[in-house]
Amino acid sequence: MNESIQFSTTRPLYGQVAVVTGASRGIGSAIAISLAKAGASVAVNYVSSSNQALDVVSVCRSFGSQAMAISADVTKEPQVASLFTQIEATLGAPSILVNNAGHALTSLLIDTTPQQWDDMMSMHLKAPYLCIRRSLDHMIRAKYGRIINISSIWGIVGGSCESAYSAAKGGVIAFTKALSKELAPSGITVNAVAPGVVDTDMIQDLTEEDRDSLVTQTPVGRLGTPGDIAALVTFLANPGSSFLTGQVISPNGGLVT
Ligand code: NAP
């Protein structure tokens, strides 16, 4: 572990730099805020919601942590390179990477175009690959890192009319497991978080009937909140979580067991 990283019990991530992709809204914004509350300096990535990203930065700073908002489409290699260059110049090299950016696709496979298929793979597999590869130089040299990939319950059990999204999120799980073995000797953990249904913009197209049905099917009797997911990600980002790697943890209210 890098000796220069300082730890405290109240702000266990003090001295560390975290990058959260897709942190302007939803789950990513809650993760960014939770990591800042735990003491990390946080890079809030987004693609177009600059005002919302700046609001997240303000909340992060209110906890006494450094934070910056950076627009970058993380499916594009030059934009990922620029994202990391800006973070390194301002906050320092990240030791925590949360691959969260994403969007779903509800479509019968027969209606899914090759472009939509490629878009799902690019968003959920290529983007984490690009961000992880760019992070590794520093993490390997530091012999320390925490990589957390956001998958989905549909990546575990498959979602009806969401085969492209499910395939991509299932790929995230296989990618996580393989990479965890490769990086464990370098002190870098790699885990996947596979949320159940979380109340964010991503599910706003659901009808009231569909939402009620999902709540009924969920044993805890409610949809997830972004904070539910952020608490788990922050736990995984902790230095103390060093024996936890290659795992898929699914905060889903008991919907999938
Ligand atoms: P959300 O509220 O729709 O937010 C999506 C975030 O991703 C936004 O910050 C958006 O930025 C960003 N983004 C989208 N494309 C991007 C790109 N190419 N480059 C950089 N940022 C990009 O979604 P969410 O519900 O919080 O979902 C977050 C993650 O959790 C996703 O990977 C999703 O698949 C996964 N997940 C969600 C649920 C759920 O029920 N909500 C369940 C399981 C898994 P802008 O604001 O700039 O557009």
Side-chain angles (χ1 to χ4, degrees), residues 21-28 45-50 52 72-75 99-104 123-124 150-154 165 169 193-203:
T21 69
S24 48
R25 296 183 278 124
I27 294 170
N45 162 252
Y46 65 99
V47 68
S48 58
S49 307
S50 53
Q52 284 166 282
D73 178 343
V74 288
T75 65
N99 287 304
N100 165 80
H103 51 84
M123 182 74 263
H124 297 287
I150 306 300
S151 177
S152 161
I153 45 168
W154 306 135
Y165 179 73
K169 289 302 201 183
V193 169
V197 186
V198 182
D199 200 359
T200 68
D201 293 346
M202 208 177 95
I203 65 153

Side-chain angles (χ1 to χ4, degrees), residues 2-74:
N2 187 339
E3 297 295 327
S4 67
I5 296 172
Q6 302 170 43
F7 303 115
S8 79
T9 46
T10 49
R11 288 167 67 78
L13 302 182
Y14 179 78
Q16 296 199 47
V17 177
V19 52
V20 184
T21 69
S24 48
R25 296 183 278 124
I27 294 170
S29 64
I31 292 170
I33 290 165
S34 177
L35 294 174
K37 203 172 170 185
S41 300
V42 179
V44 174
N45 162 252
Y46 65 99
V47 68
S48 58
S49 307
S50 53
N51 288 340
Q52 284 166 282
L54 288 171
D55 287 346
V56 175
V57 164
S58 294
V59 180
C60 291
R61 288 181 180 156
S62 73
F63 294 109
S65 294
Q66 293 186 73
M68 67 188 294
I70 309 171
S71 172
D73 178 343
V74 288

